[in-house]
Amino acid sequence: MSIAFSRRRSAETGELDVREEATDDRYMTQMNYQTSQMPQPSYRFRILIFLLGIIMTWWCSTLLLSESFFNIRASSQKQNILGFSGDHAKFNITATAAIKNNTIDERIISKEEEKAIAVKIVEEQIQTMRSWSSSSSSSSSITMKSNCQGKGIFVYDLPKKFNYDLVRNCNERVPWLCKYLKNEGKGEPILKLGQGWYGTHQYSLEPIFHHRILRHPCRVFNIEQAKVFFVPFYGGLEILRWNMYNVSNSVRDSIGSELDKWLQQQKPWMQSKGKNHVFVLGSISWNFRRIHNNSWGNNFLQLDNMLNSYKLLIERQPWEINEIGIPYPTYFHPRSDEDIIRWQSKVISSRRTTLASFAGADRADTTENIRSVLMQQCKSQKNDCTLFDCSLDACLNHTMVIGMFMNSEFCLQPPGDSPTRKSVFDSLIIGCIPVLFDPFTVYYQYPWYFPEEYQKYSVFIDKDEFKENKINIIDVLKKVPVEKRQEMRKYIIYNIMPGLVYGNSMAKFYRFSDAFDIVINNLIGAVTQSEM
């Protein structure tokens, strides 16, 4: 009972106490007058009342202090990164989240217990997401066309301020991004690499996905025929519009609140409370979950009405079951099966002249940062490792980056500001074996795109072990047999790569399913299972 009481008190944030005190002051004179007219209690009775008052004061104070301590503990845990890196990577399943899921009681737990709980919850959720996979998850859009009965997709025609205007008016706030939003979000063509190659930005997923779904063969215009409802909100672009400017949080939150109100007026949303609705957001989850009063991001995914819908993001929040990680957009946007087959042939026959490579920027927080250590190791072993320092704008040359990946056996993929990286997907489609240091970079993010057996396509070295044991990554990679490398590369190119690319909006695949096809097919499976 005391725990339940203290929770209710904390939810009231103390505001009620202020009103109660004001009420006491307002009626003090009247109460004094009434008291003076009443018979005076005996001396012993007054002593008893006094002692009871002291006991009650002590008891309430103990409850409040206990609750305050737990809140402080939970809050501090929530700010700690449970094995993750970066300012926005608050990926921690803490005591608070565990209590929410009724997995542990309200007590102070050790870091080891906390980490074990985190891993257990995340792994259970990943398995649940895998179970949503539709039996047609490997079907392309074209092969699904004859089987759209009961699988209709309705695309909302939102007011343009929620999507198209954010692209059209990019010069007003993010002029540097405009060139990346050309060609339906694919960016400018990379002519040296041929058709289907573009300088695609990591935050361009929203327009790419929107233009593709408008042409899906299962799209319907009658809401009564729809199984899935797609909301084409360019929330990631909206975040970029304000994050570099000194504006109030109310401004940052305004467009999300407007969309929330608009959706509540739509019949399908009201009927399902958003359960069969889908958002694709081209940014990481934490940008939509502003922490306290920080001046970064907005509160869109913290709105009560967003709880039930499916959110597809390039980086998910691990303990939200309705958030699903989908691939970053890569530079390759094929139009047909033939485009993919030609690329597979080129990549598998490429000559890998360098053992490892790393494209990225250092982090200035500490010289012990894993990126700093990897960059130093790479510099000291130039014969075996190629380094592109992105802080010097070397990585803006997409052709050179792609060429580096093409020449490398392994691509180092340490976490940065958050666990995930676009570079992981760019290197995978070029057949470069990723070397991962954080399970949240891939393994706990994208259950619809990678097998559970991560050894088939990646090398994993825990970042804590890497730093504590001062592991030399080049020495580790040299020990991987050539036959094993070839086996892994074949698996990547033929089993994984086709499902990581987003085809051109006019793409027609019969043999392969690209990233878009996998999303749609699995979403239909998820919505169908939720209705059973």
Side-chain angles (χ1 to χ4, degrees):
M1 294 297 293
S2 63
I3 292 174
F5 170 78
S6 64
R7 282 179 177 167
R8 289 196 297 271
R9 297 295 295 175
S10 67
E12 293 167 354
T13 65
E15 193 172 323
L16 180 60
D17 296 340
V18 176
R19 292 197 295 267
E20 288 173 346
E21 291 173 4
T23 302
D24 290 343
D25 291 339
R26 191 180 303 127
Y27 292 103
M28 188 60 71
T29 303
Q30 180 180 352
M31 290 176 66
N32 287 339
Y33 172 77
Q34 290 175 345
T35 302
S36 66
Q37 303 303 313
M38 295 172 62
Q40 297 295 311
S42 66
Y43 175 76
R44 289 182 178 179
F45 183 75
R46 282 182 287 176
I47 291 295
L48 179 60
I49 294 295
F50 177 74
L51 290 175
L52 285 173
I54 291 175
I55 292 171
M56 288 297 294
T57 301
W58 172 83
W59 181 67
C60 292
S61 299
T62 301
L63 283 175
L64 292 173
L65 285 172
S66 175
E67 176 67 11
S68 297
F69 176 79
F70 179 76
N71 284 342
I72 291 170
R73 165 70 179 174
S75 176
S76 65
Q77 286 179 334
K78 202 163 188 176
Q79 299 307 312
N80 291 331
I81 299 172
L82 184 61
F84 312 111
S85 303
D87 296 336
H88 306 295
K90 311 303 182 187
F91 277 142
N92 51 356
I93 312 284
T94 61
T96 303
I99 289 168
K100 178 181 176 182
N101 290 285
N102 297 317
T103 56
I104 61 171
D105 55 6
E106 213 170 279
R107 61 189 175 89
I108 298 175
I109 61 176
S110 68
K111 289 184 178 180
E112 290 73 18
E113 288 178 299
E114 185 177 1
K115 188 169 184 176
I117 292 167
V119 171
K120 182 176 182 293
I121 292 174
V122 173
E123 289 182 344
E124 288 175 352
Q125 289 188 347
I126 289 295
Q127 290 302 322
T128 299
M129 292 176 186
R130 290 186 188 278
S131 73
W132 291 343
S133 296
S134 168
S135 58
S136 61
S137 61
S138 60
S139 301
S140 69
S141 299
I142 300 301
T143 56
M144 252 192 88
K145 186 173 183 178
S146 60
N147 192 29
C148 286
Q149 186 66 33
K151 300 178 181 179
I153 302 168
F154 182 85
V155 182
Y156 280 107
D157 185 16
L158 295 182
K160 289 182 173 53
K161 65 181 175 181
F162 295 119
N163 42 49
Y164 293 116
D165 285 351
L166 294 172
V167 174
R168 186 181 299 114
N169 301 325
C170 66
N171 273 314
E172 294 180 6
R173 291 285 179 178
V174 283
W176 59 269
L177 188 65
C178 291
K179 68 177 182 179
Y180 296 106
L181 299 178
K182 296 179 179 179
N183 297 305
E184 301 176 341
K186 296 186 293 294
E188 297 177 331
I190 304 178
L191 300 178
K192 291 182 179 179
L193 296 178
Q195 291 185 341
W197 288 86
Y198 298 83
T200 305
H201 195 271
Q202 63 178 347
Y203 294 148
S204 297
L205 181 58
E206 292 151 352
I208 290 173
F209 202 97
H210 186 192
H211 284 90
R212 183 76 179 279
I213 202 169
L214 289 175
R215 297 180 173 92
H216 195 280
C218 293
R219 183 187 177 192
V220 297
F221 297 88
N222 182 345
I223 61 174
E224 303 300 330
Q225 299 175 331
K227 172 71 70 174
V228 173
F229 294 83
F230 179 67
V231 185
F233 172 46
Y234 296 179
L237 298 185
E238 165 65 15
I239 284 176
L240 291 175
R241 184 166 68 136
W242 295 119
N243 263 348
M244 300 302 176
Y245 295 87
N246 185 24
V247 298
S248 66
N249 285 339
S250 61
V251 172
R252 299 175 191 276
D253 298 341
S254 60
I255 196 167
S257 298
E258 289 181 49
L259 178 60
D260 183 22
K261 293 176 182 177
W262 188 89
L263 285 170
Q264 291 183 62
Q265 298 172 3
Q266 310 306 310
K267 181 180 177 182
W269 182 274
M270 291 188 294
Q271 289 177 335
S272 68
K273 296 183 179 179
K275 290 182 180 179
N276 52 8
H277 284 62
V278 180
F279 296 83
V280 170
L281 300 171
S283 188
I284 67 175
S285 179
W286 285 107
N287 282 342
F288 303 97
R289 297 178 178 277
R290 186 177 58 248
I291 300 174
H292 304 308
N293 291 317
N294 291 348
S295 58
W296 186 273
N298 60 39
N299 70 342
F300 181 63
L301 292 185
Q302 294 172 313
L303 298 175
D304 291 340
N305 291 314
M306 292 299 113
L307 180 63
N308 294 326
S309 59
Y310 292 96
K311 282 78 65 174
L312 310 177
L313 304 105
I314 54 178
E315 180 176 296
R316 64 182 290 264
Q317 187 201 66
W319 66 87
E320 290 293 337
I321 190 65
N322 284 2
E323 288 193 15
I324 302 160
I326 64 176
Y328 281 77
T330 68
Y331 301 123
F332 186 35
H333 303 276
R335 300 165 301 170
S336 64
D337 295 333
E338 289 71 25
D339 285 349
I340 294 177
I341 293 170
R342 278 195 296 270
W343 181 246
Q344 287 176 325
S345 298
K346 182 174 182 177
V347 174
I348 200 66
S349 61
S350 64
R351 185 167 174 262
R352 309 278 165 168
T353 58
T354 302
L355 179 68
S357 63
F358 174 54
D362 199 356
R363 292 296 180 267
D365 51 355
T366 172
T367 56
E368 297 302 315
N369 182 286
I370 187 171
R371 285 192 167 209
S372 301
V373 176
L374 287 173
M375 291 177 77
Q376 287 302 318
Q377 290 186 5
C378 198
K379 288 177 181 177
S380 65
Q381 296 175 277
K382 293 181 179 180
N383 292 334
D384 295 304
C385 188
T386 302
L387 173 66
F388 272 16
D389 189 345
C390 293
S391 63
L392 303 176
D393 293 336
C395 298
L396 294 178
N397 189 325
H398 308 308
T399 304
M400 289 185 66
V401 172
I402 293 169
M404 181 185 70
F405 291 158
M406 184 78 80
N407 291 330
S408 304
E409 294 267 21
F410 298 95
C411 288
L412 309 181
Q413 302 292 357
D417 292 328
S418 70
T420 64
R421 301 189 75 204
K422 179 180 185 292
S423 177
V424 172
F425 296 93
D426 288 331
S427 62
L428 276 166
I429 67 168
I430 300 170
C432 190
I433 302 166
V435 182
L436 306 175
F437 302 84
D438 189 323
F440 285 85
T441 299
V442 171
Y443 309 146
Y444 294 154
Q445 284 288 342
Y446 312 102
W448 293 347
Y449 296 89
F450 296 94
E452 293 184 69
E453 302 85 358
Y454 67 84
Q455 300 91 340
K456 288 184 175 182
Y457 64 90
S458 66
V459 174
F460 179 72
I461 301 173
D462 183 82
K463 63 180 181 296
D464 293 330
E465 181 183 348
F466 174 81
K467 289 187 288 187
E468 290 173 7
N469 297 332
K470 297 182 179 180
I471 294 173
N472 186 299
I473 193 65
I474 304 301
D475 291 344
V476 171
L477 297 178
K478 284 181 177 179
K479 295 177 182 178
V480 180
V482 173
E483 295 78 11
K484 177 63 175 177
R485 302 176 198 175
Q486 293 173 344
E487 180 184 342
M488 294 172 72
R489 182 164 299 106
K490 286 181 181 179
Y491 188 85
I492 290 170
I493 293 171
Y494 293 113
N495 294 80
I496 295 180
M497 185 274 282
L500 301 183
V501 298
Y502 292 93
N504 188 289
S505 63
M506 301 295 290
K508 292 183 179 181
F509 301 116
Y510 295 88
R511 176 176 173 179
F512 298 106
S513 294
D514 72 344
F516 172 83
D517 290 327
I518 292 172
V519 167
I520 296 300
N521 296 340
N522 284 336
L523 272 175
I524 292 173
V527 172
T528 300
Q529 290 189 39
S530 69
E531 294 176 349
M532 295 175 62

